[in-house]
């Protein structure tokens, strides 16, 4: 039976770097709450009619970012949703504003080594990680650029390096419900 939603926000948005578990944890969280799960990458792929690597290849990152913003704006108008975003969602202030006005924003983190190990499994699905640069150096550099943006956007921070997705989903529900500060 879904848990009580009386003290919950309208939506919960998960932000964070690639490989921090936004989609997996988001699905569990939505199940626990009896809410809809929406992944903005999936929305972009549906609208574009192709997968994200193909979209990057055909039209470039700028076109992807514009579609991503449209997806975030659209989804943010909904209610009782767990919204998993792409790792670069925080790059545009209008995305952050939309997610923050839609509900509570949770930043999922993981140690850089954990991110490298997780993302190497499906590296082809993440065009921004395909490069000649050393994977750990690249992740560290991107985390350095993006860290302050995630930080500024977040109401809560949850480290996903060690614990299982189900446990983390429960932890997020608890944090969001109690409104405990980060
Ligand atoms: C991106 C992360 C990806 C996807 C796109 C760009 C990024 O999503 O949106 O490849 O800029 O970090 P995940 O974080 O779900 O892998």
């Amino acid at each position: 039976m879904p848990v009580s939603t009386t003290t919950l926000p309208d939506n919960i948005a998960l932000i964070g770097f690639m490989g921090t578990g936004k989609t997996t944890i988001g699905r569990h969280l939505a199940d626990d709450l009896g809410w809809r799960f929406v992944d903005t990458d999936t929305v972009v792929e549906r609208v574009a009619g192709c997968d994200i690597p193909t979209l990057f290849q055909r039209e470039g990152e700028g076109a992807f970012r514009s579609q991503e913003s449209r997806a975030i704006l659209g989804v943010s108008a909904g209610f009782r949703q767990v919204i998993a975003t792409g790792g670069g969602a925080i790059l545009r202030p209008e995305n952050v504003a939309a997610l923050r006005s839609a509900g509570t924003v949770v930043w999922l983190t993981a140690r850089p080594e954990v991110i490298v190990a997780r993302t190497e499994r499906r590296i082809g699905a993440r065009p921004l990680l395909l490069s000649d640069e050393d994977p750990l150096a690249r992740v560290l550099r991107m985390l350095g650029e993006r860290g302050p943006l995630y930080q500024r956007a977040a109401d809560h921070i949850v480290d996903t390096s060690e614990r299982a997705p189900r446990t983390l989903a429960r932890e997020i529900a608890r944090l969001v419900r109690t409104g405990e500060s980060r």
Side-chain angles (χ1 to χ4, degrees):
M1 200 175 89
V3 289
S4 159
T5 55
T6 46
T7 56
L8 286 168
D10 285 353
N11 296 281
I12 300 172
L14 304 179
I15 61 167
F17 203 78
M18 294 169 265
T20 54
K22 301 179 296 285
T23 303
T24 313
I25 296 166
R27 283 189 196 285
H28 286 299
L29 181 58
D31 269 1
D32 289 351
L33 299 173
W35 286 8
R36 198 160 85 93
F37 173 74
V38 190
D39 186 325
T40 60
D41 282 343
T42 307
V43 175
V44 168
E45 289 180 331
R46 199 167 50 230
V47 172
C50 62
D51 63 17
I52 286 171
T54 307
L55 181 58
F56 265 70
Q57 204 181 355
R58 283 191 196 149
E59 299 184 40
E61 184 177 345
F64 167 76
R65 294 293 170 213
S66 298
Q67 299 226 26
E68 180 177 49
S69 290
R70 271 197 291 278
I72 290 173
L73 251 62
V75 163
S76 295
F79 184 61
R80 291 198 174 178
Q81 311 166 101
V82 176
I83 305 167
T85 59
I90 41 63
L91 295 172
R92 290 197 174 179
E94 64 266 34
N95 298 346
V96 174
L99 294 169
R100 289 192 57 80
S101 64
T104 297
V105 178
V106 181
W107 174 21
L108 302 186
T109 65
R111 287 197 312 279
E113 298 76 9
V114 172
I115 289 176
V116 170
R118 287 180 185 164
T119 52
E120 270 179 348
R121 284 178 219 144
R122 278 179 56 246
I123 195 82
R126 279 147 171 145
L128 290 182
L129 295 180
L130 283 173
S131 88
D132 294 335
E133 198 177 346
D134 169 69
L136 183 58
R138 185 168 185 80
V139 166
L140 284 170
R141 188 171 54 72
M142 290 180 76
L143 282 173
E145 290 161 8
R146 292 178 174 189
L149 301 175
Y150 291 126
Q151 177 94 42
R152 221 171 298 145
D155 296 301
H156 303 282
I157 306 174
V158 175
D159 185 348
T160 69
S161 303
E162 307 294 343
R163 284 172 299 160
R166 264 180 208 291
T167 312
L168 289 160
R170 263 181 253 124
E171 164 76 3
I172 293 168
R174 190 189 62 78
L175 274 179
V176 167
R177 189 174 287 109
T178 57
E180 200 174 277
S181 86
R182 57 184 179 160

